[in-house]
Amino acid sequence: MMDFNQTARETLTRVQSELAQGQTQISWDILYPIFDRENYLKEMKKSFGWRSHIKSVFFAFLMLIGLSAQGLNKFWAGLASVLFLIWAVWDNQKTRQEMLAREYFVYGIQVNFNKRKAQITWNGVKMRHQVKFHKNEELPSFNLPERPEPSDVRLRDTLQNRLAQKMGVRFVEQT
């Protein structure tokens, strides 16, 4: 389990250091806590439960029919379908465990100052392909530790001001 306070401080100091070094590509993550964890867990259990297994069985069956129709020996078609089903169930369980262990949603920002482009991800999935910086873009504010020291707040504000000037964006507080 990650330490939220440590991660927030490390992110602030790393981004400050990379900006000071004049790096042209910088990335950082902003963590959103899962506020209604009970509902989230219930939804994830439902999403990765029996419905998902039935869907995998259905696809394995369709695969068996399709491979047999293509002229593949029924034994090999059946073996391929069973192997697919085993993999699908294993992958579903692995994904389910990852989702249930999650405590935060991750909003990732990758910036390339030379190309003046940014790429936004949500939990590792691209929300937008690289887009040019533009003035009205709003990015979530950097995470602060739970009990921030004045130096943490100063550092965050300084970073956000420098990035806002370089990128032409605004940082907004998370609600």
Side-chain angles (χ1 to χ4, degrees):
M1 220 42 74
M2 75 175 90
D3 178 13
F4 180 80
N5 291 320
Q6 186 67 24
T7 303
R9 280 195 177 96
E10 285 175 0
T11 299
L12 288 171
T13 55
R14 181 183 53 78
V15 171
Q16 177 196 32
S17 171
E18 290 174 358
L19 277 174
Q21 293 171 13
Q23 290 190 14
T24 58
Q25 293 186 4
I26 297 176
S27 64
W28 64 90
D29 291 333
I30 297 162
L31 305 177
Y32 285 106
I34 299 172
F35 294 110
D36 190 1
R37 187 142 168 78
E38 194 172 303
N39 251 351
Y40 170 78
L41 291 175
K42 187 165 58 170
E43 200 59 39
M44 288 303 107
K45 287 177 182 176
K46 191 164 109 180
S47 295
F48 293 97
W50 286 105
R51 281 187 211 159
S52 181
H53 293 309
I54 297 299
K55 197 183 300 182
S56 296
V57 168
F58 179 71
F59 283 124
F61 179 69
L62 287 177
M63 184 177 175
L64 174 65
I65 291 172
L67 289 174
S68 295
Q70 291 292 326
L72 189 64
N73 182 313
K74 290 188 188 308
F75 171 77
W76 294 113
L79 181 63
S81 296
V82 167
L83 290 175
F84 168 77
L85 183 60
I86 290 169
W87 172 82
V89 169
W90 171 80
D91 188 57
N92 179 59
Q93 288 304 104
K94 184 179 97 175
T95 305
R96 181 178 193 243
Q97 288 173 350
E98 289 171 4
M99 297 302 242
L100 292 177
R102 177 179 284 163
E103 292 182 13
Y104 300 97
F105 295 118
V106 180
Y107 187 93
I109 303 167
Q110 300 166 347
V111 177
N112 185 326
F113 292 112
N114 283 345
K115 295 180 181 179
R116 296 197 46 79
K117 291 187 176 188
Q119 180 174 300
I120 311 297
T121 60
W122 178 256
N123 292 324
V125 178
K126 285 183 188 176
M127 287 177 53
R128 296 182 228 151
H129 297 286
Q130 287 197 345
V131 293
K132 293 237 180 221
F133 300 156
H134 47 79
K135 297 230 181 274
N136 294 325
E137 182 77 21
E138 289 183 349
L139 296 177
S141 187
F142 279 89
N143 291 118
L144 283 173
E146 290 171 354
R147 288 186 275 300
E149 298 172 6
S151 62
D152 294 330
V153 176
R154 256 192 324 274
L155 177 58
R156 189 224 24 208
D157 292 346
T158 302
L159 281 176
Q160 289 180 172
N161 287 338
R162 283 188 62 199
L163 287 166
Q165 289 172 354
K166 284 182 110 172
M167 296 170 60
V169 296
R170 293 183 309 134
F171 286 88
V172 293
E173 289 293 324
Q174 304 169 31
T175 55

